[in-house]
């Protein structure tokens, strides 16, 4: 089988994808850090793996923006933009719901998507995965060595020593792997991508995953430490860990390659239906007007009501612009949620700047966490944390929790550390950051 490459539109960017197979299940394979979907089929082991998936599922593969057959971009995106790309290829392929197979660096994206859109993710398989970049490159020295390879040898296939040591003496495989490097991304793009990846940390959201999850990892994986997979399985509720022998990071070659394929098939064809969705991962935004009581007393009732109408219009216009969901108003404030933390931060900044033209200022606070869906409302500890973060903000200031900062790696947003604070009613102390665009 040789699938035909098509394009899905995600904002202004074209995302290359292929759809193949006609099984009863939907499955999306989320690739590692670089890929080229057309090159997959020229490697016999990879083609055999894909054909096996197609025997029981309808499969979508895609290249992330900036890599492979997808559009090159001026700046590589953060994880929330990449969620948009994943959703775009699902929509283009007619998949309302699918299982996700997250490979290596594709695993953090898959985790974030599954927690944010549990209604669209029926199951999650994570191979060679990690929640923090340090499981991939544990030190700056190790990352620096990789950058040296990229600068001096990218495209030669020499990295096969790290990614597929069992094929280190296979000249044909190394030639194919070198072509995969060249067709996946240019050296400059790889360097930029890895600098963005070095900021990945989704560890705080693992408990928010509520779909059946299988974690597969080779015990001696030379690229991503097996502790990365163990960490994923330990912190995703109900996750099953399958640890197999072998040192290859590439899943379709080497020792236990067939067992990896068998574990995926058994998990997908035997998994039970997901539970009804009542909890999702979301970014919570709280805003309120600074010195509202004093302003209302100074203006009088009618002028205050007029000001509130303008204030509400500004916020709702920006929520629509940044795809936020208004949950409710709280007198002179708003509670809203977002399916991507970077959009939430940018929306908060846009609101804070535009509101100043009304002669008032707002404070804003954001946190990302698991929220309970209660009719049209949201609840849970994440909502309380968002409210406490907002209460610390000064006039015109946008504050975020450390969780938000960790999740917007590569977004171009800037953060200054505000300090570590206790949050009333919330265990522990929390790092708080001032956000800037």
């Amino acid at each position: 089988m040789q699938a035909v490459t098509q394009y899905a539109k995600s904002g202004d960017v074209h995302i290359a994808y292929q759809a193949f197979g006609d099984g009863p299940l939907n499955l999306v394979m989320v690739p590692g850090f670089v890929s080229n979907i057309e090159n997959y089929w020229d490697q016999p082991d990879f083609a055999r793996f894909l054909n096996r998936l197609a025997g029981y599922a309808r499969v979508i593969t895609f290249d992330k923006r900036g890599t492979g057959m997808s559009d090159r971009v001026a700046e590589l995106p953060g994880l929330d933009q990449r969620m948009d790309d994943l959703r775009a290829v699902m929509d283009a392929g007619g998949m309302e719901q699918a299982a996700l197979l997250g490979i290596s660096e594709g695993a953090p994206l898959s985790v974030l998507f599954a927690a944010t859109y549990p209604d669209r993710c029926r199951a999650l398989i994570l191979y060679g995965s990690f929640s923090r970049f340090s499981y991939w490159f544990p030190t700056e020295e190790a990352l620096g060595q990789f950058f040296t390879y990229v600068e001096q040898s990218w495209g030669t296939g020499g990295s096969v020593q790290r990614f597929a040591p069992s094929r280190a003496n296979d000249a044909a495989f190394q030639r194919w792997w070198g072509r995969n490097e060249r067709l996946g991304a240019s050296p400059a793009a790889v360097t930029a991508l890895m600098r963005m990846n070095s900021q990945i940390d989704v560890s705080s959201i693992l408990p928010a995953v509520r779909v059946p999850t299988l974690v597969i990892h080779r015990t001696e994986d030379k690229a991503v430490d097996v502790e990365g997979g163990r960490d994923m399985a330990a912190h995703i509720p109900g996750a099953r860990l399958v640890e197999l022998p072998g040192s290859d990071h590439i899943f379709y070659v080497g020792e236990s390659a067939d067992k990896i394929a068998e574990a995926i098939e058994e998990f997908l064809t035997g998994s039970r239906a997901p539970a009804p969705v009542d909890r999702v991962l979301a970014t919570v935004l709280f805003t309120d007007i600074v010195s509202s009581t004093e302003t209302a007393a100074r203006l009088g009732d009618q002028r205050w009501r007029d000001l509130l109408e303008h204030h509400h219009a500004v916020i709702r216009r920006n929520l629509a612009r940044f795809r936020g969901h208004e949950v409710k108003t709280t007198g002179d404030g708003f509670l809203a949620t977002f399916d991507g933390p970077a959009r939430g931060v940018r929306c908060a900044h846009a609101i804070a700047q535009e509101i100043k033209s009304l002669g008032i200022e707002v404070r804003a606070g954001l946190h990302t966490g698991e929220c309970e869906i209660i009719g049209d409302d949201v609840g849970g500890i994440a909502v309380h944390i968002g409210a406490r973060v907002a209460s610390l903000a000064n006039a015109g200031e946008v504050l975020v929790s450390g969780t938000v900062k960790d999740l917007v790696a590569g977004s171009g947003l800037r953060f200054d550390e505000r300090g570590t604070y206790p949050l009333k009613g919330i265990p522990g102390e929390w790092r708080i950051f001032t956000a800037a665009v």
Side-chain angles (χ1 to χ4, degrees):
M1 179 188 305
Q2 173 69 64
V4 176
T5 299
Q6 304 176 73
Y7 287 92
K9 198 75 177 293
S10 178
D12 295 328
V13 178
H14 297 87
I15 306 299
Y17 76 97
Q18 294 180 347
F20 53 92
D22 56 3
L25 304 173
N26 288 332
L27 175 64
V28 179
M29 191 170 79
V30 183
F33 80 113
V34 296
S35 63
N36 185 289
I37 51 178
E38 295 201 347
N39 196 44
Y40 288 176
W41 301 94
D42 291 337
Q43 208 294 310
D45 297 295
F46 203 169
R48 183 165 53 251
F49 177 87
L50 295 175
N51 281 320
R52 179 166 182 167
L53 294 180
Y56 60 85
R58 183 166 180 265
V59 184
I60 282 181
T61 61
F62 71 101
D63 292 327
K64 298 170 184 172
R65 65 171 65 194
T67 67
M69 305 293 291
S70 293
D71 281 349
R72 297 301 185 256
V73 290
E75 294 184 355
L76 289 165
L79 289 177
D80 57 342
Q81 273 188 295
R82 291 194 157 179
M83 282 202 299
D84 288 346
D85 298 346
L86 173 51
R87 190 175 56 249
V89 298
M90 286 180 65
D91 290 344
M95 291 186 177
E96 180 60 31
Q97 188 184 64
L100 301 183
L101 171 56
I103 306 296
S104 188
E105 184 257 359
L109 170 59
S110 301
V111 165
L112 188 60
F113 189 94
T116 305
Y117 303 110
D119 56 324
R120 300 205 66 174
C121 180
R122 72 179 301 274
L124 188 60
I125 307 106
L126 307 174
Y127 171 80
S129 59
F130 58 90
S131 61
R132 297 191 301 274
F133 185 76
S134 57
Y135 288 117
W136 190 359
F137 288 97
T139 65
E140 286 292 331
E141 181 183 4
L143 182 57
Q145 291 172 354
F146 178 77
F147 285 147
T148 298
Y149 168 78
V150 171
E151 185 65 28
Q152 297 178 357
S153 305
W154 185 255
T156 66
S159 65
V160 73
Q161 300 276 353
R162 178 183 179 91
F163 289 99
S166 72
R167 293 294 184 91
N169 297 318
D170 184 336
F173 186 87
Q174 182 167 340
R175 284 195 299 272
W176 175 83
W177 186 248
R179 186 166 72 251
N180 200 61
E181 290 180 336
R182 296 190 301 273
L183 296 177
S186 68
V190 172
T191 299
L193 179 60
M194 291 302 285
R195 292 198 185 282
M196 187 277 284
N197 286 340
S198 69
Q199 301 175 61
I200 288 177
D201 187 343
V202 297
S203 55
S204 63
I205 66 168
L206 297 181
V209 175
R210 299 292 174 174
V211 301
T213 302
L214 174 68
V215 179
I216 306 173
H217 216 110
R218 284 176 167 136
T219 305
E220 303 299 326
D221 189 321
K222 296 296 185 185
V224 177
D225 194 307
V226 67
E227 292 298 333
R230 292 170 180 168
D231 173 66
M232 285 284 209
H235 292 95
I236 294 176
R240 176 188 170 200
L241 174 64
V242 173
E243 201 170 306
L244 295 168
S247 58
D248 293 288
H249 184 61
I250 298 174
F251 54 95
Y252 46 86
V253 300
E255 185 180 3
S256 69
D258 287 340
K259 291 189 178 298
I260 291 170
E262 290 168 5
I264 293 170
E265 182 172 0
E266 179 184 2
F267 177 71
L268 288 177
T269 58
S271 61
R272 61 184 184 273
V277 176
D278 59 359
R279 303 181 71 84
V280 299
L281 185 77
T283 297
V284 178
L285 165 66
F286 278 89
T287 70
D288 73 325
I289 299 175
V290 178
S291 303
S292 58
T293 302
E294 294 85 343
T295 303
R298 176 170 53 82
L299 294 178
D301 290 344
Q302 184 59 52
R303 291 177 61 198
W304 173 246
R305 283 195 297 271
D306 292 342
L307 180 62
L308 278 184
E309 285 185 11
H310 290 301
H311 164 269
H312 287 19
V314 167
I315 291 183
R316 286 175 175 139
R317 182 166 58 251
N318 281 286
L319 288 177
R321 176 185 169 195
F322 291 96
R323 217 168 68 209
H325 170 68
E326 177 185 338
V327 177
K328 60 185 175 183
T329 58
T330 54
D332 61 348
F334 270 73
L335 165 58
T337 59
F338 296 80
D339 60 3
R343 274 190 293 275
V345 175
R346 290 193 169 95
C347 182
H349 265 283
I351 289 170
Q353 293 303 309
E354 193 171 344
I355 286 292
K356 289 180 181 178
S357 67
L358 302 180
I360 54 176
E361 289 190 289
V362 296
R363 61 172 64 88
L366 300 102
H367 175 67
T368 301
E370 190 178 23
C371 297
E372 183 180 358
I373 306 302
I374 311 168
D376 295 330
D377 204 352
V378 293
I381 192 71
V383 178
H384 294 296
I385 294 171
R388 301 292 185 267
V389 172
S391 70
L392 297 172
N394 296 319
E397 193 172 38
V398 176
L399 295 185
V400 305
S401 68
T403 304
V404 173
K405 175 183 175 294
D406 290 341
L407 290 175
V408 298
S411 66
L413 295 168
R414 305 188 309 278
F415 299 92
D416 294 319
E417 189 153 6
R418 177 74 123 63
T420 302
Y421 297 83
L423 302 180
K424 184 178 179 181
I426 312 296
E429 294 197 330
W430 291 75
R431 294 177 68 201
I432 305 299
F433 297 82
T434 303
V437 296

